Each structure stands twice: as structure tokens, then as C-alpha cells.
Amino acid sequence: MARTPQTRATRTDRAPQLRYVRTFGCAADRLWKLITAPEQLSGWLGPTVLSDTQYGGFMVVAGPRVEQTGIVTVCEPPHYFRAAFDDPPHPASMVLVDVIPGQNETHLILTHGGIRQSLLAEYDALWTGAFDRLAQVADVRWRAEPRG
């Protein structure tokens, strides 16, 4: 079961950022698949398409008027990736994700930086809702698997 979340909004020299620390009751390899495989992402984040598998391009549709495109710029499976979200004509915002195995759980740290001030509340709502759905998917699948 997901534990009490920690969320922090901070101000940097460039732009605000959101940082989330979540603990999920599943194995690290399961969580990695849930956050990187398009068919798994679609179950908790929104319909997701890898638009360019060779170069890491993607598109996520998280709501009726929310469509985000971007590119994965660094990926070190099964522990870390960085993705740039497009926001023309503004600079791209950056999402950094760390997956940290624990003894009986897995920790996820997501930092979304370079966000325009006017979009901070919108991204916070997007991530908070997405993590709630991810916890349901991760925890349900974990309970169905034998532990140990």
C-alpha cells in the first residue's frame, strides 16, 4: 500500500519545480515497467504513445484538453530516466524519475522542474492524481503476486 506522500514545491533560479516522494508496495522491476512501458503508463497516467522509439519521443494524453509531448533524454533502466516535456514557445520542462528498491517496497522520486508559474497548480493536480492511480495499480498487482 502506498504510504503518505510527500510533495514539495520549491522556487529555483530558473522556474518552480515540484518534487514527489512516494513509496509503493511492489518490487522495483514492477514499478519500472509501470512507469516506462506505454501500455502500463496508459493504465494510470493517460493514453501514452511512443512516437519515436528510436529516439525516445512520446505523447501522453492525460485529459480531454491535456496533451503533452516530449522526449526521453537519459534512461538508465531500471533506476532512472529524464524526460523533457515540450511547452512551445516556452522552454521545455524537465522530469527526473528515480526508482529506489527497498526491502518490502519501492520508492519513487519524481522531480518536475522548469515549470512556468502559471502551470504549477495544473501539473501538481496531474501528478497527484496520477500517483493515486499508480498506487492502486501497483499495490493491486503486488497483492496478486507471491511475496518473497
Side-chain angles (χ1 to χ4, degrees), residues 15-62:
Q17 68 176 349
L18 296 167
R19 182 179 173 117
Y20 304 89
V21 178
R22 299 288 192 271
T23 300
F24 296 94
C26 67
D29 61 338
R30 160 93 47 215
L31 186 60
W32 182 259
K33 289 177 189 170
L34 287 170
I35 65 172
T36 59
E39 63 278 2
Q40 300 294 326
L41 279 165
S42 295
W44 63 272
L45 183 59
T48 305
V49 176
L50 288 180
S51 55
D52 186 340
T53 56
Q54 182 176 358
Y55 296 104
F58 62 86
M59 179 176 67
V60 176
V61 180

Side-chain angles (χ1 to χ4, degrees), residues 42-115:
S42 295
W44 63 272
L45 183 59
T48 305
V49 176
L50 288 180
S51 55
D52 186 340
T53 56
Q54 182 176 358
Y55 296 104
F58 62 86
M59 179 176 67
V60 176
V61 180
R65 295 180 298 147
V66 182
E67 184 175 297
Q68 216 41 104
T69 60
I71 189 162
V72 174
T73 57
V74 175
C75 186
E76 297 179 18
H79 301 293
Y80 175 81
F81 72 86
R82 180 175 61 208
F85 281 115
D86 297 331
D87 189 18
H90 305 282
S93 62
M94 194 65 60
V95 174
L96 310 171
V97 178
D98 288 294
V99 174
I100 304 160
Q103 187 164 345
N104 292 314
E105 71 274 330
T106 302
H107 310 285
L108 178 118
I109 301 170
L110 182 142
T111 304
H112 190 164
I115 304 170

